[in-house]
Amino acid sequence: MKNIYDCYTLNNGVSIPCVGYGTYKAADGDSAEVIRTAIEAGYRYFDTASFYGTEEYLGEAIQESKIPRKDFFIASKVWKAEMGYENVKKAFGKSLEKLKTDYLDLYLIHWPLPEENYGKWKELDLDTWRGMEELYHAGRVRAIGVSNFLPHHLQNLLDYAEVKPAVDQVEFHPGYTQEATVQYCQERGIQVQAWSPIGRMRIVKEPLLVEMAKKYGVSPVQICLRYALQRKVIPLPKSSSMERMKQNQNLFGFEIEQEDMWRLTTLPVMGWSGEHPDRYRVKVLESTERYDL
């Protein structure tokens, strides 16, 4: 990979850029301005979701850019409350309308369970997946996948689904690398993506990251993003300033040495959001509680 436009190939042959832009909380003042800036900065892969409330702004920004739709890679997700065979197809239609497009490049199930301790999640996931397979076979979406699925959730789909998930988007960053899920996916040709690839800025003052940033002449954020790339995981960073957006793309002029990769992989748990698909959300220490700032 030499720049953000270089691509991985998904298990159905679709090309996907190696770095994307995450739009969670990217609607600055309920407008498309931040996303317009991201397009100007060069991003063409945008990750959104019905839950984010940014689909409409992304659609507006893309339309105003005058850049052909085919030059963008657009991904969205179906929310917990929209799961089920009929519901997912309705949710997909609403997403297309807000995004002002007639197809998606990638569509994901956002979470495997609609709520904690939901006993019939296997049946619901399969029912939802059946609706997504129908959208895929109809050519309305180029690839389908999941988000926040752990190996046991994925195995349920693989045991019964006609179409293998192309992607699993999970929280992934130094301090929370979800090794079991990453290994499971990579062994089965499922592309892993990283939401919160910098631990929501909670880990940038970690001494090891600061040390490595100095060693390689980059920022701690760039260390996190480069780490994902070297693990063959697609990072989805988000920033609101042009300067940071450009910096987040500048990942290809250095390589983290193997020893440093091991050190990053074996960090103790830190920067975790507290989100887990099978459990109630955990309150975790913020960086300001961990460090004397």
Side-chain angles (χ1 to χ4, degrees):
M1 302 297 170
K2 297 180 180 179
N3 57 60
I4 66 168
Y5 308 113
D6 282 346
C7 295
Y8 294 106
T9 301
L10 298 179
N11 57 29
N12 67 344
V14 168
S15 295
I16 184 170
C18 64
V19 177
Y21 183 85
T23 66
Y24 181 56
K25 295 186 177 179
D28 185 22
D30 291 332
S31 78
E33 191 57 38
V34 171
I35 298 173
R36 289 192 196 99
T37 302
I39 293 174
E40 185 181 345
Y43 285 103
R44 294 296 179 267
Y45 172 16
F46 287 89
D47 177 80
T48 184
S50 61
F51 178 74
Y52 295 172
T54 55
E55 291 176 319
E56 187 174 352
Y57 304 116
L58 176 57
E60 178 185 329
I62 289 174
Q63 198 168 64
E64 290 178 359
S65 74
K66 305 300 182 184
I67 297 171
R69 166 67 180 88
K70 65 180 178 61
D71 291 347
F72 288 94
F73 191 99
I74 303 176
S76 192
K77 309 177 193 71
V78 57
W79 185 239
K80 298 175 181 180
E82 301 167 322
M83 295 174 73
Y85 174 71
E86 293 294 345
N87 288 340
V88 70
K89 292 189 291 183
K90 292 176 183 176
F92 181 84
K94 290 178 182 177
S95 289
L96 289 188
E97 184 177 346
K98 290 179 180 178
L99 286 161
K100 300 177 176 63
T101 184
D102 58 359
Y103 74 96
L104 288 183
D105 296 284
L106 179 64
Y107 197 47
L108 309 177
I109 301 177
H110 208 145
W111 289 91
L113 277 69
E115 59 188 26
E116 294 79 1
N117 301 320
Y118 186 83
K120 296 184 178 181
W121 63 267
K122 289 186 177 181
E123 295 90 337
L124 182 60
D125 284 359
L126 290 171
D127 199 40
T128 305
W129 192 251
R130 186 165 58 93
M132 294 182 69
E133 286 180 330
E134 188 172 301
L135 295 168
Y136 174 73
H137 288 311
R140 302 182 70 192
V141 58
R142 298 174 64 221
I144 53 177
V146 297
S147 179
N148 300 299
F149 274 52
L150 304 180
H152 55 289
H153 305 128
L154 284 162
Q155 192 61 51
N156 178 52
L157 292 185
L158 293 181
D159 284 344
Y160 298 101
E162 179 182 338
V163 178
K164 178 193 288 189
V167 162
D168 189 8
Q169 183 181 128
V170 299
E171 181 176 0
F172 175 93
H173 51 77
Y176 196 70
T177 56
Q178 302 214 58
E179 293 300 317
T181 299
V182 171
Q183 180 179 343
Y184 179 96
C185 289
Q186 292 183 339
E187 288 177 350
R188 290 162 178 79
I190 299 170
Q191 177 64 55
V192 180
Q193 298 181 328
W195 65 259
S196 192
I198 56 176
R200 296 183 179 179
M201 296 297 287
R202 291 172 176 164
I203 60 173
V204 295
K205 294 188 182 295
E206 161 59 35
L208 178 60
L209 286 167
V210 173
E211 171 194 326
M212 288 188 184
K214 290 178 180 177
K215 175 179 178 178
Y216 294 100
V218 296
S219 71
V221 168
Q222 287 169 294
I223 292 292
C224 290
L225 300 179
R226 179 67 196 184
Y227 173 78
L229 282 176
Q230 288 185 216
R231 294 291 308 273
K232 294 182 170 54
V233 172
I234 297 174
L236 302 169
K238 177 179 71 71
S239 180
S240 58
S241 73
M242 175 67 78
E243 180 183 0
R244 289 289 178 85
M245 289 177 185
K246 288 288 189 180
Q247 186 183 80
N248 290 348
Q249 297 175 28
N250 187 16
L251 310 173
F252 305 91
F254 72 101
E255 183 173 355
I256 302 173
E257 296 171 2
Q258 183 59 64
E259 180 177 320
D260 290 335
M261 289 292 290
W262 286 330
R263 294 172 75 195
L264 290 168
T265 300
T266 55
L267 276 170
V269 173
M270 62 181 69
W272 177 40
S273 67
E275 298 281 4
H276 189 287
D278 290 333
R279 296 173 179 267
Y280 291 99
R281 190 164 193 259
V282 176
K283 184 182 186 301
V284 295
L285 291 176
E286 299 288 347
S287 60
T288 52
E289 295 174 285
R290 179 179 173 84
Y291 299 102
D292 183 16
L293 300 180

